[in-house]
């Protein structure tokens, strides 16, 4: 199946867009969640570094985190370095933070459930301590501090209005409160979050894990342990349970948008490629016409790109091909003439001498007789002398015309007169001839009718073909009779002997037939084949009356044969029709 460049471009675009769409869908489905989790882990690591640096700076000042927050209480947020840092982590990264300083004071920093998170932190630290004492701990996380007065969670806690605080009981998630030792919660949990925790990252100071909260049915990323100041413990929590749903929604949205973009993009590409390929299609049609030897169509674009360069190159090639074909036709025609030339030379010479001798006898005899009459004084009066002189002049003119025609015919038959092929419109040539013959047509009272297409281009010697048409037309005028009509027709025909299939493909095998019909007497059937011979006259008296020499039709035949074409004559119901053929240019 044949596809245009336009269709191929569109299909390629659809394929690329579909590949990108499904690739993005697959990447989102299988990798986005992992990337999201990795990104959140890095956020928690960054939060640890930020707070750790803040605590070290506070330590160098000889203060504790609790003291600093107490000092900043009531100040504008712009002037509260520590509070602003916690607030920024909570607002930008949605991180809930709980700290326990070296003295056991609970600092609920940026958390909606500060008490709950503080209890959970003490539970995590106590579990870590128990595991370490039993030899089960990996040594990665420890509290580094056993301070506290053992008075419970609320006694050592510090609250500030700019931090969120929500009281929750551990019983809500299945913890049994147990007893506190040194401010740490020692639990016997029904549901232990550490047993379902997935450790993602850990080092000597803290651990990052993924846990599940049954209360809110939410997955959290938690970072817990202690900072490098040697005493501050912490728990940072970040909800991540919505990522799976977000991936599904993102993929669905991506699929819908991708299909819309695919449809609109395909339409846009199809339209734009049509604009791009339009000059290419024009060039393709021009090349098809060039293969049929039609060089009239030219590329008319003004583009300066590769297509414009190609179009102008094709125009140059078309002109050169036309010129080359004209030269080839001339050379081929000459070659065909040379084949028969040697065989005809001898016969032509003999016929020429015999015909010239025969045709010159009558005018020479008349000139000699009237000249002798003048010499012997037979024309004594002026009127007789003028008559004698006019006869001598007329016969001399006829002899001169005949000699010129014979010379032209001789050159044609011997190949001395070159046939130069050019491409021209024969309809325009006929119209020009009729325009020049207006006075003669009016004098003869002839009715002229031209039946022809608007244009008919041929390959021939324009000047010789003009002589052929002039000869036909002059003969028609001289033999005009009856209704005094002359009909000139030009029509295209299939070259005889060519198959119908070849006719559809090879346009150079068409011909143009030109015919000239005049009303009047028919030519005797026995003379139809002889009128092409030199000096042959059907009606000698009539021929002599209008000054004919009997050479005109011989010249016509010689010219047409020099073009490797045919000429003929046939009687019609009310007149005679002469015609000839030429190669058509399609």
């Amino acid at each position: 199946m044949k596809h245009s460049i336009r269709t191929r471009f569109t299909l390629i675009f659809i394929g690329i867009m579909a590949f990108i769409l499904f690739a993005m869908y697959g990447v989102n489905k299988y990798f986005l969640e992992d990337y999201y989790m990795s990104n959140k882990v890095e956020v928690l690591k960054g939060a640890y570094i930020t707070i750790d640096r803040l605590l070290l700076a506070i330590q160098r000042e000889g203060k504790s985190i609790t003291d600093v927050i107490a000092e900043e209480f009531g100040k504008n947020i712009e002037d509260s370095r520590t509070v602003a840092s916690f607030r920024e982590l909570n607002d930008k990264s949605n991180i809930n933070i709980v700290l326990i300083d070296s003295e056991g004071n609970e600092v609920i920093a940026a958390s909606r459930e500060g008490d709950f998170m503080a209890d959970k932190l003490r539970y995590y630290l106590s579990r870590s301590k128990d595991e370490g004492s039993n030899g089960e701990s990996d040594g990665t996380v420890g509290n580094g501090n056993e301070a506290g007065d053992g008075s419970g969670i609320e006694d050592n806690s510090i609250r500030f209005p700019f931090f969120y605080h929500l009281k929750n009981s551990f019983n809500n998630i299945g913890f049994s409160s147990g007893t506190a030792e040194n401010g740490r919660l020692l639990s016997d949990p029904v549901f232990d979050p550490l047993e379902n925790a997935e450790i993602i990252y850990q080092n000597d100071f803290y651990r990052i894990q993924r846990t599940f909260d049954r209360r809110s049915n939410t997955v959290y990323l938690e970072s817990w342990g202690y900072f490098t100041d040697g005493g501050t413990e912490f728990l940072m929590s970040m909800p991540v349970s919505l990522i799976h749903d977000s991936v599904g929604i993102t993929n669905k949205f991506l699929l819908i948008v991708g299909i819309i973009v695919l449809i609109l993009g395909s339409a846009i590409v199809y339209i734009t490629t049509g604009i791009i390929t339009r000059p290419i299609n024009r060039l393709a049609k021009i090349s098809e016409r060039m293969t049929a030897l039609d060089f009239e169509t030219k590329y008319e674009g003004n583009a300066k790109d590769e297509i414009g360069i190609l179009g102008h190159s094709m125009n140059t090639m078309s002109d050169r091909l036309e010129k080359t074909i004209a030269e080839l036709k001339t050379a081929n025609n000459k070659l065909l003439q040379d084949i028969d030339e040697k065989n005809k030379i001898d016969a032509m010479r003999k016929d020429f001498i015999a015909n010239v001798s025969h045709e010159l006898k009558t005018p020479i005899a008349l000139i000699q007789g009237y000249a002798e009459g003048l010499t012997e004084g037979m024309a004594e009066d002026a009127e007789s002398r003028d008559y004698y002189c006019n006869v001598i002049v007329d016969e001399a003119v006829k002899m001169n015309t005949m000699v010129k025609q014979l010379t032209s015919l001789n050159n044609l038959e011997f190949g001395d007169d070159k046939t130069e092929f050019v491409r021209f419109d024969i309809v325009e040539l006929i119209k020009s001839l009729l325009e020049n013959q207006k006075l003669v047509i009016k004098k003869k009272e002839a009715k002229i009718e031209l039946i022809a297409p608007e244009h008919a281009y041929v390959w021939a010697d324009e000047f010789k073909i003009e002589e052929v048409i002039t000869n036909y037309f002059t003969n028609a005028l001289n033999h005009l009779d009856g209704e005094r009509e002359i009909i000139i027709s030009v029509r295209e025909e299939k070259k005889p002997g060519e198959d119908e299939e070849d006719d559809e493909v090879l346009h150079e095998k068409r011909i143009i037939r030109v015919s000239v019909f005049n009303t009047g007497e028919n030519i005797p059937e026995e003379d139809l084949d002889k009128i092409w011979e030199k000096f042959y006259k059907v009606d000698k008296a009539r021929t002599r009356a209008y000054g004919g020499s009997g050479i005109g039709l011989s010249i016509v035949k010689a010219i047409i044969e020099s073009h490797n074409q045919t000429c003929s004559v046939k009687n019609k119901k009310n007149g005679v029709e002469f015609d000839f053929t030429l190669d058509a240019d399609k």
Side-chain angles (χ1 to χ4, degrees):
M1 181 179 178
K2 182 179 178 182
H3 293 294
S4 65
I5 296 177
R6 182 183 187 182
T7 304
R8 292 178 183 176
F9 273 134
T10 305
L11 292 177
I12 290 172
F13 172 80
I14 292 174
I16 293 174
M17 289 296 296
F19 173 78
I20 293 174
L21 176 62
F22 286 110
M24 292 179 64
Y25 180 87
V27 169
N28 280 355
K29 182 176 180 64
Y30 297 105
F31 299 104
L32 181 59
E33 186 171 356
D34 291 339
Y35 175 78
Y36 175 84
M37 293 296 295
S38 175
N39 181 265
K40 292 302 181 181
V41 168
E42 294 301 319
V43 170
L44 287 176
K45 289 180 181 179
Y48 177 86
I49 293 173
T50 300
I51 298 175
D52 189 66
R53 289 175 179 173
L54 183 64
L55 292 175
L56 290 175
I58 293 173
Q59 188 181 52
R60 284 193 295 269
E61 295 175 359
K63 301 177 181 180
S64 68
I65 182 68
T66 307
D67 296 335
V68 172
I69 292 178
E71 291 176 1
E72 293 181 358
F73 178 72
K75 293 182 180 181
N76 293 329
I77 193 68
E78 294 82 0
D79 301 324
S80 305
R81 178 187 58 174
T82 305
V83 173
S85 298
F86 288 136
R87 179 71 59 83
E88 183 177 3
L89 288 173
N90 182 256
D91 291 344
K92 290 186 177 181
S93 302
N94 195 24
I95 298 177
N96 297 318
I97 305 171
V98 169
L99 304 177
I100 299 178
D101 64 13
S102 58
E103 298 177 358
N105 293 317
E106 174 189 332
V107 180
I108 303 174
S111 173
R112 299 182 65 88
E113 299 181 336
D115 287 338
F116 175 77
M117 289 185 61
D119 290 345
K120 181 185 284 190
L121 172 60
R122 289 191 174 93
Y123 173 72
Y124 284 167
L125 293 172
S126 65
R127 285 291 304 273
S128 175
K129 178 181 177 182
D130 291 343
E131 290 174 1
S133 64
N134 294 329
E136 298 176 358
S137 173
D138 55 9
T140 59
V141 178
N143 60 6
N145 177 38
E146 296 294 334
D149 57 7
S151 60
I153 299 172
E154 295 297 331
D155 295 339
N156 294 345
S157 63
I158 298 177
R159 299 287 183 262
F160 298 97
F162 51 83
F163 293 124
Y164 296 109
H165 176 66
L166 180 64
K167 199 78 171 176
N168 286 285
S169 172
F170 250 32
N171 292 328
N172 292 336
I173 61 168
F175 284 110
S176 59
S177 299
T179 61
E181 178 182 342
N182 296 327
R184 303 293 183 264
L185 182 65
L186 302 179
S187 325
D188 181 16
V190 177
F191 168 70
D192 187 351
L194 285 177
E195 291 182 359
N196 296 301
E198 176 188 352
I199 299 175
I200 298 175
Y201 172 81
Q202 65 182 8
N203 60 23
D204 292 338
F205 294 97
Y206 68 98
R207 170 186 296 176
I208 298 176
Q209 63 190 24
R210 179 162 51 187
T211 60
F212 177 73
D213 186 350
R214 285 186 175 182
R215 300 175 312 141
S216 58
N217 196 30
T218 303
V219 175
Y220 287 88
L221 271 182
E222 295 181 337
S223 175
W224 62 274
Y226 62 92
F227 292 104
T228 59
D229 64 349
T232 304
E233 300 155 347
F234 75 96
L235 171 62
M236 291 186 287
S237 178
M238 176 189 300
V240 295
S241 61
L242 296 179
I243 181 61
H244 183 74
D245 294 337
S246 299
V247 171
I249 294 173
T250 301
N251 279 343
K252 184 176 181 181
F253 179 76
L254 177 65
L255 189 62
I256 295 172
V257 173
I259 292 174
I260 295 173
V261 171
L262 183 63
I263 295 173
L264 293 178
S266 301
I268 293 172
V269 168
Y270 188 76
I271 294 172
T272 54
T273 51
I275 298 173
I276 296 173
T277 57
R278 189 175 299 125
I280 299 177
N281 292 332
R282 287 202 301 267
L283 289 176
K285 292 179 180 179
I286 291 173
S287 65
E288 288 179 358
R289 299 188 67 172
M290 286 177 63
T291 58
L293 302 182
D294 180 2
F295 305 112
E296 285 298 308
T297 304
K298 303 292 184 182
Y299 177 76
E300 298 177 353
N302 297 319
K304 302 298 182 181
D305 55 11
E306 291 83 353
I307 295 177
I309 294 173
L310 177 60
H312 293 300
S313 298
M314 289 185 66
N315 289 344
T316 302
M317 181 176 65
S318 175
D319 294 336
R320 291 182 178 177
L321 278 175
E322 183 176 1
K323 181 180 178 180
T324 302
I325 290 175
E327 293 173 353
L328 286 174
K329 283 183 175 289
T330 301
N332 184 60
N333 184 70
K334 184 178 182 303
L335 180 63
L336 293 174
Q337 293 175 18
D338 291 342
I339 296 174
D340 297 330
E341 183 177 1
K342 292 182 179 180
N343 297 329
K344 295 180 179 179
I345 290 176
D346 290 338
M348 291 171 64
R349 285 175 179 172
K350 293 177 183 179
D351 291 341
F352 180 75
I353 294 172
N355 289 328
V356 168
S357 299
H358 176 75
E359 288 297 322
L360 291 179
K361 284 181 181 179
T362 300
I364 289 175
L366 287 172
I367 291 173
Q368 182 180 3
Y370 281 96
E372 289 176 352
L374 289 173
T375 304
E376 295 174 358
M378 297 177 62
E380 295 179 355
D381 58 292
E383 185 178 351
S384 298
R385 285 195 302 271
D386 290 340
Y387 175 76
Y388 276 52
C389 290
N390 288 336
V391 171
I392 294 172
V393 171
D394 288 342
E395 294 301 323
V397 170
K398 292 177 182 178
M399 288 177 62
N400 185 48
T401 301
M402 183 176 64
V403 169
K404 289 181 180 180
Q405 290 179 331
L406 286 171
T407 301
S408 176
L409 180 60
N410 183 66
N411 290 335
L412 287 169
E413 292 179 337
F414 282 89
D416 295 332
D417 192 356
K418 302 294 183 181
T419 301
E420 299 292 338
F421 280 84
V422 295
R423 180 176 176 273
F424 65 94
D425 187 354
I426 196 168
V427 176
E428 290 296 325
L429 180 65
I430 294 171
K431 291 179 179 179
S432 176
L433 185 148
L434 293 176
E435 184 69 21
N436 294 334
Q437 295 284 338
K438 275 186 176 181
L439 294 177
V440 180
I441 294 171
K442 183 176 181 180
K443 182 178 179 181
K444 294 284 187 176
E445 298 180 350
K447 302 174 185 177
I448 309 299
E449 181 180 0
L450 175 61
I451 303 175
E454 184 177 356
H455 299 285
Y457 290 93
V458 296
W459 286 98
D461 189 314
E462 185 173 2
F463 296 103
K464 289 184 172 62
I465 297 304
E466 183 179 5
E467 185 176 355
V468 170
I469 298 173
T470 301
N471 198 302
Y472 274 180
F473 187 71
T474 302
N475 280 349
L477 287 173
N478 290 330
H479 292 84
L480 197 61
D481 206 350
E483 298 177 357
R484 306 190 70 78
E485 290 182 348
I486 296 177
I487 302 174
I488 303 174
S489 66
V490 179
R491 60 186 179 275
E492 181 182 327
E493 297 180 357
K494 182 173 70 70
K495 191 174 183 178
E498 301 297 338
D499 297 334
E500 289 296 331
E501 293 182 359
D502 293 340
D503 175 52
E504 295 177 0
V505 179
L506 302 177
H507 295 285
E508 67 269 22
K509 294 189 177 182
R510 306 287 292 184
I511 60 172
I512 295 294
R513 184 177 297 276
V514 180
S515 62
V516 180
F517 168 81
N518 68 274
T519 57
E521 295 182 2
N522 289 151
I523 299 174
E525 292 296 328
E526 63 271 15
D527 292 329
L528 285 175
D529 295 333
K530 298 177 182 179
I531 61 173
W532 308 104
E533 298 176 3
K534 290 185 288 288
F535 307 110
Y536 187 83
K537 304 183 184 73
V538 176
D539 187 347
K540 295 182 180 181
R542 186 168 186 174
T543 301
R544 188 165 185 81
Y546 64 79
S549 62
I551 303 175
L553 291 178
S554 299
I555 293 175
V556 168
K557 185 177 182 181
I559 291 174
I560 296 303
E561 288 180 349
S562 71
H563 285 74
N564 294 311
Q565 296 296 325
T566 60
C567 56
S568 63
V569 61
K570 48 184 170 288
N571 288 320
K572 296 289 186 176
K573 182 178 180 180
N574 58 339
V576 179
E577 181 181 79
F578 286 84
D579 63 26
F580 65 92
T581 62
L582 292 173
D583 275 339
D585 172 41
K586 294 299 292 180

